[in-house]
Amino acid sequence: MAVRLNRRVTLAARPVGFPKESDFALVESPVGEPGPGEVLVRAHYLSVDPYQRGRMSEARSYARPVELGDVMTSQAVGEVVESNDPRFAAGDHVVGQLGWQEYAVARGGTLRKAVPGAPLQASLHVLGTNGLTAYFGLFDVGRPQPGDTVVVSAAAGGVGQVVGQLAKIAGCRAVGIAGGPEKVRTLVETFGYDAGIDYEREDVSAALKDACPDGVNVYFDNVGGSVTDAVFRRLAIGARIAVCGQISQYNLEQPELAPRNLGALIVYRARAEGFLVSDYAHRFGEALPRLARWLADGRIAHTEDVIEGIERAPEAFLRMLRGENRGKQLVQLL
Ligand code: NAP
């Protein structure tokens, strides 16, 4: 019988500065056999995320780097082909850290079933890491009160688009910051933000003054750098800053000197707190049904940017880092 082949995208080189397609390699190897307690999954969608840039580097972080020659780490959603775990059967749809590959063997305990009734790929955005990050970052770290002004950076992206809509559900005023007029239009027209700011073309400080006359009560920071500097100057007394990501710094060979504006925390008696969505894993069961209900009711809209073919995963990753993604960046496997 012919050996079934698995195409995988591996890390070929550690990037210096902005990554290149040649930092990745497409390799073939036989599809693995699941051992006791393991499950063989055929992936349908791969996730493409900013944190993968950190895994390509050996710099100290909250997780180990991907080794050269290893498959790129990523979440994926797919279908169980064979299961040696009684909790899963062939045909079940599951989500897990399966990597950029067509087939993965995973321990059953590391998988969760995709939310039934929702589109499969939603388990990689609204009903996955993006939605969960938005939920816990906003509600637990940002602690919004009705009437608060919530400002979100990278507001049109996978996480940001959910944060703005959760802020509206919480009775807040939502102001999004994104790159380019098309994204800013989407913020208001699709995601219900009250105002959008184009950080590439506008004076962010002046635009924030107009959009947040009473200051910023909650800042959900996805980018860091000069955008964050401008928001810090507009904080309201007692503001909360949920430090989710710092994507403006991820590809710099010499990160900018930061934090630059800690004095603002004193002036405004504000609190800045970093968080990791994985620390809330024990509470995903609380958030997912609520996110699923809001998605089904149409209270959470979303956009996804789908590229087809595993060989194009590196291209999808680079366009996301360049800000060319229109919503959650995914790779669909054919
Ligand atoms: P995303 O927003 O869908 O895509 C990344 C976006 O970042 C790009 O579309 C671009 O949007 C923006 N960007 C890229 N380079 C930038 C720069 N130099 N300055 C400002 N903005 C830049 O990605 P995502 O998956 O939703 O992730 C958003 C953030 O959340 C990232 O920082 C990520 O690391 C973080 N995150 C954190 C956790 C956690 O547990 N803490 C979990 C998931 C994600 P514009 O065109 O609008 O600039």
Side-chain angles (χ1 to χ4, degrees), residues 49-51 129-130 133 154 157-160 177-179 183 199-200 222-223 244-248 250 275-278 320-321 323-325 327-328:
D49 297 277
Y51 77 86
T129 299
N130 288 172
T133 302
V159 173
I177 305 175
K183 285 191 182 182
Y199 75 92
E200 289 172 349
N222 284 317
V223 306
C244 176
Q246 299 281 286
I247 195 167
S248 71
Y250 294 172
F275 72 97
L276 270 183
V277 64
S278 50
M320 180 273 299
L321 288 180
E324 291 166 14
N325 58 314
K328 170 65 190 174

PDB file of all heavy atoms in Angstrom, residues 49-51 129-130 133 154 157-160 177-179 183 199-200 222-223 244-248 250 275-278 320-321 323-325 327-328, ligand 1:
ATOM      1  N   ASP A  49      -0.694  33.558  13.372  1.00  0.00           N
ATOM      2  CA  ASP A  49      -0.768  34.471  14.521  1.00  0.00           C
ATOM      3  C   ASP A  49       0.555  35.185  14.774  1.00  0.00           C
ATOM      4  O   ASP A  49       1.631  34.604  14.568  1.00  0.00           O
ATOM      5  CB  ASP A  49      -1.103  33.665  15.789  1.00  0.00           C
ATOM      6  CG  ASP A  49      -2.460  33.007  15.703  1.00  0.00           C
ATOM      7  OD1 ASP A  49      -3.452  33.677  15.993  1.00  0.00           O
ATOM      8  OD2 ASP A  49      -2.518  31.824  15.314  1.00  0.00           O
ATOM      9  N   PRO A  50       0.462  36.407  15.329  1.00  0.00           N
ATOM     10  CA  PRO A  50       1.680  37.156  15.642  1.00  0.00           C
ATOM     11  C   PRO A  50       2.633  36.433  16.599  1.00  0.00           C
ATOM     12  O   PRO A  50       3.854  36.556  16.488  1.00  0.00           O
ATOM     13  CB  PRO A  50       1.158  38.447  16.278  1.00  0.00           C
ATOM     14  CG  PRO A  50      -0.226  38.618  15.720  1.00  0.00           C
ATOM     15  CD  PRO A  50      -0.762  37.225  15.558  1.00  0.00           C
ATOM     16  N   TYR A  51       2.104  35.655  17.584  1.00  0.00           N
ATOM     17  CA  TYR A  51       3.002  35.036  18.577  1.00  0.00           C
ATOM     18  C   TYR A  51       3.987  34.069  17.921  1.00  0.00           C
ATOM     19  O   TYR A  51       5.042  33.760  18.483  1.00  0.00           O
ATOM     20  CB  TYR A  51       2.205  34.306  19.671  1.00  0.00           C
ATOM     21  CG  TYR A  51       1.662  32.961  19.233  1.00  0.00           C
ATOM     22  CD1 TYR A  51       2.438  31.808  19.318  1.00  0.00           C
ATOM     23  CD2 TYR A  51       0.386  32.848  18.687  1.00  0.00           C
ATOM     24  CE1 TYR A  51       1.949  30.585  18.882  1.00  0.00           C
ATOM     25  CE2 TYR A  51      -0.104  31.641  18.253  1.00  0.00           C
ATOM     26  CZ  TYR A  51       0.683  30.508  18.343  1.00  0.00           C
ATOM     27  OH  TYR A  51       0.205  29.300  17.894  1.00  0.00           O
ATOM     28  N   THR A 129      -8.698  31.272  20.149  1.00  0.00           N
ATOM     29  CA  THR A 129      -7.761  32.141  20.876  1.00  0.00           C
ATOM     30  C   THR A 129      -8.133  33.619  20.764  1.00  0.00           C
ATOM     31  O   THR A 129      -8.063  34.355  21.755  1.00  0.00           O
ATOM     32  CB  THR A 129      -6.332  31.893  20.350  1.00  0.00           C
ATOM     33  OG1 THR A 129      -6.024  30.519  20.602  1.00  0.00           O
ATOM     34  CG2 THR A 129      -5.324  32.764  21.058  1.00  0.00           C
ATOM     35  N   ASN A 130      -8.529  34.073  19.572  1.00  0.00           N
ATOM     36  CA  ASN A 130      -8.831  35.513  19.417  1.00  0.00           C
ATOM     37  C   ASN A 130      -9.967  35.934  20.339  1.00  0.00           C
ATOM     38  O   ASN A 130      -9.876  36.925  21.067  1.00  0.00           O
ATOM     39  CB  ASN A 130      -9.241  35.840  17.980  1.00  0.00           C
ATOM     40  CG  ASN A 130      -8.087  35.784  16.995  1.00  0.00           C
ATOM     41  OD1 ASN A 130      -8.295  35.879  15.797  1.00  0.00           O
ATOM     42  ND2 ASN A 130      -6.876  35.615  17.488  1.00  0.00           N
ATOM     43  N   THR A 133      -9.009  35.664  24.034  1.00  0.00           N
ATOM     44  CA  THR A 133      -8.073  36.738  24.424  1.00  0.00           C
ATOM     45  C   THR A 133      -8.843  38.038  24.617  1.00  0.00           C
ATOM     46  O   THR A 133      -8.628  38.770  25.596  1.00  0.00           O
ATOM     47  CB  THR A 133      -7.005  36.910  23.317  1.00  0.00           C
ATOM     48  OG1 THR A 133      -6.328  35.666  23.139  1.00  0.00           O
ATOM     49  CG2 THR A 133      -6.003  37.985  23.672  1.00  0.00           C
ATOM     50  N   ALA A 154      -4.740  47.856  16.878  1.00  0.00           N
ATOM     51  CA  ALA A 154      -4.917  46.732  15.924  1.00  0.00           C
ATOM     52  C   ALA A 154      -6.383  46.288  15.981  1.00  0.00           C
ATOM     53  O   ALA A 154      -6.705  45.103  16.061  1.00  0.00           O
ATOM     54  CB  ALA A 154      -3.948  45.573  16.206  1.00  0.00           C
ATOM     55  N   GLY A 157      -8.120  43.675  13.553  1.00  0.00           N
ATOM     56  CA  GLY A 157      -7.555  42.328  13.460  1.00  0.00           C
ATOM     57  C   GLY A 157      -8.384  41.296  14.206  1.00  0.00           C
ATOM     58  O   GLY A 157      -9.466  41.590  14.730  1.00  0.00           O
ATOM     59  N   GLY A 158      -7.865  40.078  14.251  1.00  0.00           N
ATOM     60  CA  GLY A 158      -8.605  38.965  14.842  1.00  0.00           C
ATOM     61  C   GLY A 158      -9.040  39.232  16.273  1.00  0.00           C
ATOM     62  O   GLY A 158     -10.207  39.040  16.629  1.00  0.00           O
ATOM     63  N   VAL A 159      -8.127  39.679  17.122  1.00  0.00           N
ATOM     64  CA  VAL A 159      -8.475  39.965  18.519  1.00  0.00           C
ATOM     65  C   VAL A 159      -9.247  41.276  18.595  1.00  0.00           C
ATOM     66  O   VAL A 159     -10.315  41.366  19.217  1.00  0.00           O
ATOM     67  CB  VAL A 159      -7.197  40.053  19.398  1.00  0.00           C
ATOM     68  CG1 VAL A 159      -7.537  40.521  20.810  1.00  0.00           C
ATOM     69  CG2 VAL A 159      -6.477  38.708  19.444  1.00  0.00           C
ATOM     70  N   GLY A 160      -8.720  42.310  17.935  1.00  0.00           N
ATOM     71  CA  GLY A 160      -9.260  43.659  18.078  1.00  0.00           C
ATOM     72  C   GLY A 160     -10.718  43.771  17.674  1.00  0.00           C
ATOM     73  O   GLY A 160     -11.497  44.475  18.323  1.00  0.00           O
ATOM     74  N   ILE A 177      -8.254  51.793  16.735  1.00  0.00           N
ATOM     75  CA  ILE A 177      -7.126  52.365  15.993  1.00  0.00           C
ATOM     76  C   ILE A 177      -6.622  51.277  15.036  1.00  0.00           C
ATOM     77  O   ILE A 177      -6.390  50.134  15.464  1.00  0.00           O
ATOM     78  CB  ILE A 177      -5.981  52.795  16.940  1.00  0.00           C
ATOM     79  CG1 ILE A 177      -6.512  53.760  18.007  1.00  0.00           C
ATOM     80  CG2 ILE A 177      -4.835  53.418  16.150  1.00  0.00           C
ATOM     81  CD1 ILE A 177      -5.475  54.155  19.063  1.00  0.00           C
ATOM     82  N   ALA A 178      -6.507  51.607  13.752  1.00  0.00           N
ATOM     83  CA  ALA A 178      -6.044  50.617  12.770  1.00  0.00           C
ATOM     84  C   ALA A 178      -5.329  51.339  11.643  1.00  0.00           C
ATOM     85  O   ALA A 178      -5.339  52.574  11.563  1.00  0.00           O
ATOM     86  CB  ALA A 178      -7.234  49.817  12.235  1.00  0.00           C
ATOM     87  N   GLY A 179      -4.706  50.547  10.761  1.00  0.00           N
ATOM     88  CA  GLY A 179      -3.917  51.119   9.677  1.00  0.00           C
ATOM     89  C   GLY A 179      -4.688  51.180   8.369  1.00  0.00           C
ATOM     90  O   GLY A 179      -5.031  50.147   7.799  1.00  0.00           O
ATOM     91  N   LYS A 183      -9.645  49.762   6.655  1.00  0.00           N
ATOM     92  CA  LYS A 183      -9.807  49.116   7.967  1.00  0.00           C
ATOM     93  C   LYS A 183     -10.619  50.001   8.900  1.00  0.00           C
ATOM     94  O   LYS A 183     -11.456  49.514   9.667  1.00  0.00           O
ATOM     95  CB  LYS A 183      -8.442  48.807   8.588  1.00  0.00           C
ATOM     96  CG  LYS A 183      -7.729  47.624   7.945  1.00  0.00           C
ATOM     97  CD  LYS A 183      -6.523  47.208   8.769  1.00  0.00           C
ATOM     98  CE  LYS A 183      -5.796  46.053   8.103  1.00  0.00           C
ATOM     99  NZ  LYS A 183      -4.641  45.578   8.870  1.00  0.00           N
ATOM    100  N   TYR A 199      -3.970  55.251  12.211  1.00  0.00           N
ATOM    101  CA  TYR A 199      -2.687  55.694  12.781  1.00  0.00           C
ATOM    102  C   TYR A 199      -1.637  55.950  11.710  1.00  0.00           C
ATOM    103  O   TYR A 199      -0.630  56.603  11.943  1.00  0.00           O
ATOM    104  CB  TYR A 199      -2.168  54.679  13.825  1.00  0.00           C
ATOM    105  CG  TYR A 199      -1.581  53.415  13.250  1.00  0.00           C
ATOM    106  CD1 TYR A 199      -0.220  53.292  12.978  1.00  0.00           C
ATOM    107  CD2 TYR A 199      -2.398  52.325  12.961  1.00  0.00           C
ATOM    108  CE1 TYR A 199       0.313  52.127  12.444  1.00  0.00           C
ATOM    109  CE2 TYR A 199      -1.878  51.168  12.424  1.00  0.00           C
ATOM    110  CZ  TYR A 199      -0.527  51.071  12.168  1.00  0.00           C
ATOM    111  OH  TYR A 199      -0.015  49.913  11.629  1.00  0.00           O
ATOM    112  N   GLU A 200      -1.893  55.433  10.496  1.00  0.00           N
ATOM    113  CA  GLU A 200      -0.906  55.659   9.431  1.00  0.00           C
ATOM    114  C   GLU A 200      -1.056  57.046   8.797  1.00  0.00           C
ATOM    115  O   GLU A 200      -0.106  57.588   8.253  1.00  0.00           O
ATOM    116  CB  GLU A 200      -1.060  54.586   8.347  1.00  0.00           C
ATOM    117  CG  GLU A 200      -0.591  53.218   8.818  1.00  0.00           C
ATOM    118  CD  GLU A 200      -0.907  52.094   7.827  1.00  0.00           C
ATOM    119  OE1 GLU A 200      -1.675  52.315   6.856  1.00  0.00           O
ATOM    120  OE2 GLU A 200      -0.407  50.985   8.049  1.00  0.00           O
ATOM    121  N   ASN A 222      -2.686  46.202  21.668  1.00  0.00           N
ATOM    122  CA  ASN A 222      -2.173  45.110  20.834  1.00  0.00           C
ATOM    123  C   ASN A 222      -0.855  45.459  20.152  1.00  0.00           C
ATOM    124  O   ASN A 222      -0.264  44.586  19.523  1.00  0.00           O
ATOM    125  CB  ASN A 222      -3.197  44.778  19.736  1.00  0.00           C
ATOM    126  CG  ASN A 222      -4.378  43.997  20.267  1.00  0.00           C
ATOM    127  OD1 ASN A 222      -4.208  43.070  21.050  1.00  0.00           O
ATOM    128  ND2 ASN A 222      -5.578  44.370  19.850  1.00  0.00           N
ATOM    129  N   VAL A 223      -0.434  46.734  20.221  1.00  0.00           N
ATOM    130  CA  VAL A 223       0.676  47.127  19.344  1.00  0.00           C
ATOM    131  C   VAL A 223       1.885  47.753  20.039  1.00  0.00           C
ATOM    132  O   VAL A 223       3.001  47.626  19.544  1.00  0.00           O
ATOM    133  CB  VAL A 223       0.187  48.066  18.208  1.00  0.00           C
ATOM    134  CG1 VAL A 223      -0.954  47.449  17.438  1.00  0.00           C
ATOM    135  CG2 VAL A 223      -0.189  49.439  18.703  1.00  0.00           C
ATOM    136  N   CYS A 244      -1.926  43.323  25.815  1.00  0.00           N
ATOM    137  CA  CYS A 244      -2.180  42.053  25.133  1.00  0.00           C
ATOM    138  C   CYS A 244      -1.028  41.698  24.211  1.00  0.00           C
ATOM    139  O   CYS A 244      -0.566  40.558  24.187  1.00  0.00           O
ATOM    140  CB  CYS A 244      -3.490  42.172  24.348  1.00  0.00           C
ATOM    141  SG  CYS A 244      -3.858  40.723  23.366  1.00  0.00           S
ATOM    142  N   GLY A 245      -0.591  42.651  23.394  1.00  0.00           N
ATOM    143  CA  GLY A 245       0.497  42.390  22.442  1.00  0.00           C
ATOM    144  C   GLY A 245       1.250  43.668  22.153  1.00  0.00           C
ATOM    145  O   GLY A 245       0.794  44.770  22.486  1.00  0.00           O
ATOM    146  N   GLN A 246       2.423  43.520  21.549  1.00  0.00           N
ATOM    147  CA  GLN A 246       3.282  44.675  21.221  1.00  0.00           C
ATOM    148  C   GLN A 246       3.807  44.481  19.797  1.00  0.00           C
ATOM    149  O   GLN A 246       5.010  44.552  19.544  1.00  0.00           O
ATOM    150  CB  GLN A 246       4.460  44.754  22.212  1.00  0.00           C
ATOM    151  CG  GLN A 246       4.050  44.934  23.667  1.00  0.00           C
ATOM    152  CD  GLN A 246       3.682  46.359  24.004  1.00  0.00           C
ATOM    153  OE1 GLN A 246       4.534  47.220  24.117  1.00  0.00           O
ATOM    154  NE2 GLN A 246       2.388  46.619  24.163  1.00  0.00           N
ATOM    155  N   ILE A 247       2.886  44.264  18.862  1.00  0.00           N
ATOM    156  CA  ILE A 247       3.326  43.814  17.533  1.00  0.00           C
ATOM    157  C   ILE A 247       4.236  44.820  16.836  1.00  0.00           C
ATOM    158  O   ILE A 247       5.058  44.418  16.006  1.00  0.00           O
ATOM    159  CB  ILE A 247       2.119  43.415  16.645  1.00  0.00           C
ATOM    160  CG1 ILE A 247       2.588  42.607  15.440  1.00  0.00           C
ATOM    161  CG2 ILE A 247       1.286  44.606  16.232  1.00  0.00           C
ATOM    162  CD1 ILE A 247       1.494  41.911  14.667  1.00  0.00           C
ATOM    163  N   SER A 248       4.163  46.095  17.202  1.00  0.00           N
ATOM    164  CA  SER A 248       5.037  47.072  16.528  1.00  0.00           C
ATOM    165  C   SER A 248       6.505  46.793  16.845  1.00  0.00           C
ATOM    166  O   SER A 248       7.392  47.314  16.170  1.00  0.00           O
ATOM    167  CB  SER A 248       4.670  48.500  16.949  1.00  0.00           C
ATOM    168  OG  SER A 248       5.047  48.731  18.293  1.00  0.00           O
ATOM    169  N   TYR A 250       7.816  43.479  17.324  1.00  0.00           N
ATOM    170  CA  TYR A 250       8.218  42.074  17.146  1.00  0.00           C
ATOM    171  C   TYR A 250       9.326  41.881  16.103  1.00  0.00           C
ATOM    172  O   TYR A 250      10.087  40.925  16.182  1.00  0.00           O
ATOM    173  CB  TYR A 250       7.016  41.204  16.751  1.00  0.00           C
ATOM    174  CG  TYR A 250       5.927  41.061  17.792  1.00  0.00           C
ATOM    175  CD1 TYR A 250       4.734  40.445  17.483  1.00  0.00           C
ATOM    176  CD2 TYR A 250       6.088  41.538  19.080  1.00  0.00           C
ATOM    177  CE1 TYR A 250       3.715  40.305  18.417  1.00  0.00           C
ATOM    178  CE2 TYR A 250       5.079  41.416  20.024  1.00  0.00           C
ATOM    179  CZ  TYR A 250       3.888  40.800  19.690  1.00  0.00           C
ATOM    180  OH  TYR A 250       2.883  40.673  20.616  1.00  0.00           O
ATOM    181  N   PHE A 275      -1.117  40.102  30.177  1.00  0.00           N
ATOM    182  CA  PHE A 275      -1.836  38.848  30.438  1.00  0.00           C
ATOM    183  C   PHE A 275      -1.599  37.892  29.275  1.00  0.00           C
ATOM    184  O   PHE A 275      -1.258  38.292  28.168  1.00  0.00           O
ATOM    185  CB  PHE A 275      -3.347  39.102  30.614  1.00  0.00           C
ATOM    186  CG  PHE A 275      -4.041  39.459  29.323  1.00  0.00           C
ATOM    187  CD1 PHE A 275      -4.703  38.487  28.586  1.00  0.00           C
ATOM    188  CD2 PHE A 275      -3.990  40.741  28.824  1.00  0.00           C
ATOM    189  CE1 PHE A 275      -5.317  38.802  27.387  1.00  0.00           C
ATOM    190  CE2 PHE A 275      -4.603  41.074  27.627  1.00  0.00           C
ATOM    191  CZ  PHE A 275      -5.268  40.100  26.896  1.00  0.00           C
ATOM    192  N   LEU A 276      -1.799  36.607  29.561  1.00  0.00           N
ATOM    193  CA  LEU A 276      -1.702  35.552  28.544  1.00  0.00           C
ATOM    194  C   LEU A 276      -3.001  34.773  28.553  1.00  0.00           C
ATOM    195  O   LEU A 276      -3.441  34.310  29.617  1.00  0.00           O
ATOM    196  CB  LEU A 276      -0.582  34.572  28.900  1.00  0.00           C
ATOM    197  CG  LEU A 276       0.813  34.844  28.394  1.00  0.00           C
ATOM    198  CD1 LEU A 276       1.725  33.705  28.802  1.00  0.00           C
ATOM    199  CD2 LEU A 276       0.839  35.028  26.893  1.00  0.00           C
ATOM    200  N   VAL A 277      -3.584  34.588  27.380  1.00  0.00           N
ATOM    201  CA  VAL A 277      -4.878  33.904  27.320  1.00  0.00           C
ATOM    202  C   VAL A 277      -4.782  32.489  27.894  1.00  0.00           C
ATOM    203  O   VAL A 277      -5.732  32.002  28.520  1.00  0.00           O
ATOM    204  CB  VAL A 277      -5.426  33.909  25.867  1.00  0.00           C
ATOM    205  CG1 VAL A 277      -4.537  33.126  24.924  1.00  0.00           C
ATOM    206  CG2 VAL A 277      -6.845  33.375  25.826  1.00  0.00           C
ATOM    207  N   SER A 278      -3.621  31.850  27.727  1.00  0.00           N
ATOM    208  CA  SER A 278      -3.495  30.463  28.197  1.00  0.00           C
ATOM    209  C   SER A 278      -3.644  30.362  29.718  1.00  0.00           C
ATOM    210  O   SER A 278      -4.022  29.309  30.246  1.00  0.00           O
ATOM    211  CB  SER A 278      -2.156  29.871  27.749  1.00  0.00           C
ATOM    212  OG  SER A 278      -1.120  30.753  28.085  1.00  0.00           O
ATOM    213  N   MET A 320       0.289  39.016   7.211  1.00  0.00           N
ATOM    214  CA  MET A 320      -0.306  39.419   8.483  1.00  0.00           C
ATOM    215  C   MET A 320       0.645  40.369   9.231  1.00  0.00           C
ATOM    216  O   MET A 320       0.229  41.393   9.767  1.00  0.00           O
ATOM    217  CB  MET A 320      -0.616  38.167   9.318  1.00  0.00           C
ATOM    218  CG  MET A 320      -1.248  38.405  10.664  1.00  0.00           C
ATOM    219  SD  MET A 320      -0.041  38.692  11.946  1.00  0.00           S
ATOM    220  CE  MET A 320       0.894  37.170  11.936  1.00  0.00           C
ATOM    221  N   LEU A 321       1.948  40.039   9.224  1.00  0.00           N
ATOM    222  CA  LEU A 321       2.901  40.910   9.922  1.00  0.00           C
ATOM    223  C   LEU A 321       2.998  42.284   9.251  1.00  0.00           C
ATOM    224  O   LEU A 321       3.322  43.274   9.893  1.00  0.00           O
ATOM    225  CB  LEU A 321       4.292  40.259   9.960  1.00  0.00           C
ATOM    226  CG  LEU A 321       4.468  39.064  10.888  1.00  0.00           C
ATOM    227  CD1 LEU A 321       5.895  38.533  10.801  1.00  0.00           C
ATOM    228  CD2 LEU A 321       4.147  39.423  12.340  1.00  0.00           C
ATOM    229  N   GLY A 323       0.457  43.764   8.051  1.00  0.00           N
ATOM    230  CA  GLY A 323      -0.846  44.421   8.233  1.00  0.00           C
ATOM    231  C   GLY A 323      -1.740  44.290   7.017  1.00  0.00           C
ATOM    232  O   GLY A 323      -2.731  45.010   6.893  1.00  0.00           O
ATOM    233  N   GLU A 324      -1.425  43.368   6.107  1.00  0.00           N
ATOM    234  CA  GLU A 324      -2.249  43.235   4.887  1.00  0.00           C
ATOM    235  C   GLU A 324      -3.451  42.320   5.091  1.00  0.00           C
ATOM    236  O   GLU A 324      -4.284  42.191   4.207  1.00  0.00           O
ATOM    237  CB  GLU A 324      -1.374  42.718   3.733  1.00  0.00           C
ATOM    238  CG  GLU A 324      -0.357  43.746   3.272  1.00  0.00           C
ATOM    239  CD  GLU A 324       0.738  43.185   2.393  1.00  0.00           C
ATOM    240  OE1 GLU A 324       0.600  42.040   1.901  1.00  0.00           O
ATOM    241  OE2 GLU A 324       1.751  43.883   2.219  1.00  0.00           O
ATOM    242  N   ASN A 325      -3.521  41.655   6.251  1.00  0.00           N
ATOM    243  CA  ASN A 325      -4.685  40.783   6.519  1.00  0.00           C
ATOM    244  C   ASN A 325      -5.923  41.619   6.768  1.00  0.00           C
ATOM    245  O   ASN A 325      -5.860  42.680   7.386  1.00  0.00           O
ATOM    246  CB  ASN A 325      -4.402  39.873   7.725  1.00  0.00           C
ATOM    247  CG  ASN A 325      -4.069  40.642   8.992  1.00  0.00           C
ATOM    248  OD1 ASN A 325      -3.271  41.569   8.978  1.00  0.00           O
ATOM    249  ND2 ASN A 325      -4.689  40.272  10.093  1.00  0.00           N
ATOM    250  N   GLY A 327      -8.881  41.025   8.746  1.00  0.00           N
ATOM    251  CA  GLY A 327      -9.492  40.143   9.727  1.00  0.00           C
ATOM    252  C   GLY A 327      -8.588  38.966  10.041  1.00  0.00           C
ATOM    253  O   GLY A 327      -7.395  38.969   9.722  1.00  0.00           O
ATOM    254  N   LYS A 328      -9.161  37.954  10.658  1.00  0.00           N
ATOM    255  CA  LYS A 328      -8.372  36.804  11.109  1.00  0.00           C
ATOM    256  C   LYS A 328      -7.700  36.103   9.935  1.00  0.00           C
ATOM    257  O   LYS A 328      -8.365  35.661   9.001  1.00  0.00           O
ATOM    258  CB  LYS A 328      -9.302  35.829  11.844  1.00  0.00           C
ATOM    259  CG  LYS A 328      -8.670  34.487  12.149  1.00  0.00           C
ATOM    260  CD  LYS A 328      -7.516  34.620  13.120  1.00  0.00           C
ATOM    261  CE  LYS A 328      -6.745  33.308  13.213  1.00  0.00           C
ATOM    262  NZ  LYS A 328      -5.538  33.462  14.047  1.00  0.00           N
TER     263      LYS A 328
HETATM  264  P1  NAP B   1      -4.158  40.720  13.857  1.00  0.00           P
HETATM  265  O1  NAP B   1      -4.521  41.973  14.605  1.00  0.00           O
HETATM  266  O2  NAP B   1      -5.222  39.988  13.128  1.00  0.00           O
HETATM  267  O3  NAP B   1      -2.977  40.989  12.835  1.00  0.00           O
HETATM  268  C1  NAP B   1      -1.879  41.759  13.189  1.00  0.00           C
HETATM  269  C2  NAP B   1      -2.156  43.260  12.958  1.00  0.00           C
HETATM  270  O4  NAP B   1      -1.185  44.022  13.665  1.00  0.00           O
HETATM  271  C3  NAP B   1      -1.960  43.695  11.501  1.00  0.00           C
HETATM  272  O5  NAP B   1      -3.098  43.467  10.696  1.00  0.00           O
HETATM  273  C4  NAP B   1      -1.688  45.176  11.669  1.00  0.00           C
HETATM  274  O6  NAP B   1      -2.918  45.896  11.697  1.00  0.00           O
HETATM  275  C5  NAP B   1      -1.070  45.278  13.064  1.00  0.00           C
HETATM  276  N1  NAP B   1       0.343  45.654  12.965  1.00  0.00           N
HETATM  277  C6  NAP B   1       1.332  44.995  12.336  1.00  0.00           C
HETATM  278  N2  NAP B   1       2.487  45.675  12.450  1.00  0.00           N
HETATM  279  C7  NAP B   1       2.210  46.793  13.163  1.00  0.00           C
HETATM  280  C8  NAP B   1       2.980  47.900  13.605  1.00  0.00           C
HETATM  281  N3  NAP B   1       4.291  47.995  13.334  1.00  0.00           N
HETATM  282  N4  NAP B   1       2.369  48.868  14.328  1.00  0.00           N
HETATM  283  C9  NAP B   1       1.048  48.788  14.621  1.00  0.00           C
HETATM  284  N5  NAP B   1       0.259  47.761  14.211  1.00  0.00           N
HETATM  285  C10 NAP B   1       0.840  46.781  13.493  1.00  0.00           C
HETATM  286  O7  NAP B   1      -3.448  39.737  14.911  1.00  0.00           O
HETATM  287  P2  NAP B   1      -4.101  39.129  16.219  1.00  0.00           P
HETATM  288  O8  NAP B   1      -3.889  37.666  16.185  1.00  0.00           O
HETATM  289  O9  NAP B   1      -5.448  39.662  16.414  1.00  0.00           O
HETATM  290  O10 NAP B   1      -3.130  39.681  17.370  1.00  0.00           O
HETATM  291  C11 NAP B   1      -3.230  41.041  17.819  1.00  0.00           C
HETATM  292  C12 NAP B   1      -2.275  41.224  18.997  1.00  0.00           C
HETATM  293  O11 NAP B   1      -2.712  40.394  20.069  1.00  0.00           O
HETATM  294  C13 NAP B   1      -0.829  40.845  18.721  1.00  0.00           C
HETATM  295  O12 NAP B   1       0.013  41.793  19.330  1.00  0.00           O
HETATM  296  C14 NAP B   1      -0.679  39.493  19.393  1.00  0.00           C
HETATM  297  O13 NAP B   1       0.653  39.229  19.748  1.00  0.00           O
HETATM  298  C15 NAP B   1      -1.593  39.679  20.585  1.00  0.00           C
HETATM  299  N6  NAP B   1      -2.131  38.452  21.195  1.00  0.00           N
HETATM  300  C16 NAP B   1      -1.898  38.265  22.525  1.00  0.00           C
HETATM  301  C17 NAP B   1      -2.431  37.176  23.172  1.00  0.00           C
HETATM  302  C18 NAP B   1      -2.203  37.027  24.661  1.00  0.00           C
HETATM  303  O14 NAP B   1      -2.538  35.965  25.224  1.00  0.00           O
HETATM  304  N7  NAP B   1      -1.651  38.036  25.321  1.00  0.00           N
HETATM  305  C19 NAP B   1      -3.186  36.216  22.471  1.00  0.00           C
HETATM  306  C20 NAP B   1      -3.428  36.430  21.096  1.00  0.00           C
HETATM  307  C21 NAP B   1      -2.886  37.572  20.467  1.00  0.00           C
HETATM  308  P3  NAP B   1      -2.960  47.432  11.210  1.00  0.00           P
HETATM  309  O15 NAP B   1      -3.013  47.389   9.709  1.00  0.00           O
HETATM  310  O16 NAP B   1      -4.191  47.961  11.827  1.00  0.00           O
HETATM  311  O17 NAP B   1      -1.701  48.061  11.691  1.00  0.00           O
END
